[in-house]
Amino acid sequence: NHKPDYRSYQDLFERLDTNQDGKVDVAELRAGLKAMGIFRLGAAQKIVSSGDQNKDGSLDFNEFSKYLKDHEKKLRLTFKSLDRNNDGRIDASEIQQSLAELGMDVSRENALKILQSMDIDGTMMVDWNEWREHFLLHPAQNLEEIMRYWKHSTVLDIGDSLAIPDEFTEEEKSSGGWWKQLVAGAVAGAVSRTGTAPLDRMKVFMQVHSSKTNRISLIGGFKQMIIEGGITSLWRGNGINVLKIAPETAIKFMSYEQGKNIETHKRFMAGSLAGATAQTAIYPMEVLKTRLTLRKTGQYSGMFDCAKKILRKEGVMAFYKGYIPNLVGIIPYAGIDLAVYESLKNAWLSYHAKDSANPGVLVLVACGTISSTCGQLASYPLALVRTRMQAQASLDATDQSSMSTLIKKIIAKDGFFGLYRGILPNFMKVIPAVSISYVVYEYMKTGLGIK
């Protein structure tokens, strides 16, 4: 058990104190951390404010070494709890085990990647010195903090996310942090859906009405809508789209709680099942949304009126039109979304894991956006067929067709790209939707006091 090395603290302090005034301030520390390859948002600020006892906004040598000593104690405890066989070194299987106890399922290769980022001498074991070296100037004090970065963050509502459910740590569950996250996520979704509703209505219109003989352009389409029902008609169908968020979130959370203690490939299944459960329960709302979005001025006086008329005219089954392509669409969407996210994450880790475990918000948001966009590309034809079938009941019963007939019809009439009608407004929606939901989520987090 070695004593902390004051000389190295002294050296470190002198190296950081660039203007030699005997104090290290946030700017000096930030520059110093950067030089050591630690790029962490707010890291310098966090270290200074937790070590600064006389509150002068900087650390003198005593404060600095006291902070490092305390920090080192915490690191030592974490190290000990990880080193299960007490041989003074941490190996990949020990990392895997400990993370499994935190409820995180990490593959052997990812455990090795985490290890690699700390392993200085290339033994694929991390001893105390390497551990200390790696985390001494990282404000992250325990493994949970380190692991929390790379959870597939599903805060972002890309409009029609089929959910792979979120993870909540034990601590968040016991402190009630999880419901705040759900509320923040739901509000963010509501604002972002409302902000991008006109593009969403445009997408539905193109999916249902656009064809070779009846070309709808973006500008032309919006003009038609405004002429038909005024500016506010661009938001038709948004009310129910926002209302849908509450049951979606609740069901997602419940079905996740049931399915969470399972490994990754099974978690994908659980995710798809949770998605499917949620979809089944709220599918009638999806049908209503499509009908309300496509409605002509004065056709329905509101949601309930619409539901009543559909029931009376077409019966209960109308509320499950298009259910099959919808269900089939979940699989390529969720699978590709997860696979792309995992590979982007691994690519990022293999380039940057040496510097820090935290990819930063932008990287996570970008990875999430790219992966779900790829998922959407793959499942788009199914979404289009689903929307068509939901809308169809507005035609006579003789014209209604099954999923396969409909696909054949569309291809015969419009070629393969007929299956991708409306993809332009759909993708135009992605970036504003993600940005709005991210910004709102951040504000909500601050407002609700989520760390």
Side-chain angles (χ1 to χ4, degrees):
N1 195 4
H2 74 298
K3 287 216 166 21
D5 184 346
Y6 288 105
R7 212 202 77 255
S8 68
Y9 287 172
Q10 187 74 51
D11 287 350
L12 191 53
F13 188 76
E14 281 162 15
R15 211 164 81 203
L16 291 169
D17 181 15
T18 39
N19 61 5
Q20 262 116 44
D21 61 351
K23 287 195 170 75
V24 172
D25 60 24
V26 177
E28 287 175 327
L29 186 53
R30 192 176 292 129
L33 290 178
K34 220 177 201 135
M36 297 173 205
I38 301 175
F39 304 97
R40 291 279 307 274
L41 256 166
Q45 185 57 60
K46 207 165 159 182
I47 291 176
V48 171
S49 39
S50 56
D52 179 16
Q53 290 165 322
N54 59 8
K55 301 284 175 258
D56 61 349
S58 56
L59 302 177
D60 57 33
F61 180 65
N62 282 340
E63 291 173 330
F64 184 69
S65 48
K66 180 165 174 8
Y67 168 79
L68 288 184
K69 272 198 319 219
D70 293 347
H71 191 58
E72 207 169 294
K73 267 194 209 125
K74 289 182 187 143
L75 288 179
R76 186 94 201 157
L77 289 172
T78 310
F79 183 82
K80 280 221 163 96
S81 71
L82 273 175
D83 177 17
R84 307 191 159 231
N85 54 7
N86 294 327
D87 62 351
R89 290 183 309 231
I90 295 175
D91 58 35
S93 65
E94 288 174 327
I95 287 187
Q96 259 182 308
Q97 268 182 310
S98 305
L99 291 180
E101 282 176 15
L102 293 176
M104 284 197 57
D105 178 54
V106 177
S107 67
R108 174 103 193 139
E109 49 179 339
N110 281 351
L112 286 171
K113 281 194 176 118
I114 296 171
L115 205 61
Q116 231 165 349
S117 67
M118 301 182 259
D119 180 24
I120 301 168
D121 53 17
T123 52
M124 283 326 270
M125 297 271 216
V126 171
D127 59 24
W128 162 244
N129 287 328
E130 292 174 319
W131 176 265
R132 169 174 171 264
E133 188 83 351
H134 186 80
F135 286 114
L136 195 56
L137 285 170
H138 275 227
Q141 294 179 345
N142 59 24
L143 251 190
E144 284 204 30
E145 281 182 55
I146 296 158
M147 292 328 297
R148 216 171 276 156
Y149 302 138
W150 274 111
K151 289 202 180 146
H152 190 161
S153 54
T154 46
V155 176
L156 303 167
D157 180 15
I158 301 187
D160 26 15
S161 60
L162 297 176
I164 291 161
D166 271 342
E167 306 250 352
F168 295 104
T169 56
E170 286 308 319
E171 171 198 355
E172 283 166 336
K173 281 205 229 54
S174 58
S175 68
W178 59 271
W179 69 265
K180 290 182 176 172
Q181 281 185 27
L182 289 179
V183 170
V187 173
V191 178
S192 111
R193 287 183 186 190
T194 306
T196 52
L199 285 166
D200 192 65
R201 182 168 196 227
M202 194 63 232
K203 171 187 84 175
V204 173
F205 248 75
M206 287 179 162
Q207 286 178 334
V208 174
H209 296 306
S210 181
S211 65
K212 271 200 173 131
T213 46
N214 176 27
R215 286 266 150 113
I216 302 178
S217 71
L218 260 186
I219 321 264
F222 280 131
K223 272 193 194 140
Q224 271 178 308
M225 285 180 193
I226 293 170
I227 293 167
E228 197 270 336
I231 287 278
T232 50
S233 71
L234 299 181
W235 272 266
R236 276 185 196 160
N238 184 50
I240 188 140
N241 202 20
V242 168
L243 269 180
K244 239 169 48 183
I245 295 175
E248 271 173 344
T249 313
I251 294 166
K252 221 158 101 174
F253 181 63
M254 316 281 270
S255 44
Y256 173 67
E257 277 298 293
Q258 300 313 305
K260 73 161 188 309
N261 314 324
I262 27 187
E263 302 126 51
T264 311
H265 57 115
K266 294 186 190 150
R267 185 171 304 155
F268 160 60
M269 289 306 297
S272 304
L273 277 173
T277 322
Q279 290 291 321
T280 308
I282 60 169
Y283 194 80
M285 292 179 89
E286 302 276 354
V287 175
L288 278 177
K289 183 208 150 201
T290 300
R291 294 296 184 85
L292 288 164
T293 305
L294 292 166
R295 76 178 186 265
K296 296 186 179 65
T297 306
Q299 191 177 349
Y300 306 116
S301 61
M303 251 172 261
F304 292 113
D305 182 48
C306 177
K308 263 198 328 233
K309 285 186 174 150
I310 296 175
L311 258 179
R312 195 174 313 135
K313 245 179 82 177
E314 307 162 42
V316 177
M317 282 319 291
F319 286 109
Y320 281 90
K321 285 271 160 64
Y323 182 73
I324 309 263
N326 182 56
L327 215 51
V328 177
I330 292 177
I331 297 162
Y333 176 82
I336 289 170
D337 185 18
L338 256 182
V340 173
Y341 186 81
E342 283 294 308
S343 28
L344 289 169
K345 162 178 135 180
N346 288 336
W348 190 91
L349 278 173
S350 57
Y351 279 105
H352 300 284
K354 290 182 282 303
D355 314 328
S356 93
N358 180 5
V361 167
L362 269 173
V363 175
L364 286 176
V365 172
C367 290
T369 308
I370 294 167
S371 66
S372 78
T373 305
C374 295
Q376 275 189 2
L377 256 176
S379 59
Y380 192 85
L382 287 158
L384 179 132
V385 170
R386 172 192 79 181
T387 311
R388 282 261 175 123
M389 290 172 81
Q390 290 171 342
Q392 251 185 3
S394 34
L395 312 167
D396 351 333
T398 48
D399 274 352
Q400 293 181 22
S401 43
S402 67
M403 175 168 120
S404 45
T405 345
L406 196 56
I407 294 175
K408 282 184 202 134
K409 258 195 207 159
I410 295 173
I411 293 177
K413 193 175 163 197
D414 289 333
F416 177 71
F417 289 107
L419 294 172
Y420 280 89
R421 297 267 181 231
I423 195 122
L424 179 69
N426 186 50
F427 282 155
M428 284 171 66
K429 207 174 75 177
V430 171
I431 293 187
V434 170
S435 323
I436 296 172
S437 69
Y438 177 70
V439 171
V440 176
Y441 184 76
E442 284 304 304
Y443 274 108
M444 288 292 298
K445 262 177 35 178
T446 322
L448 290 169
I450 302 172
K451 295 289 173 298

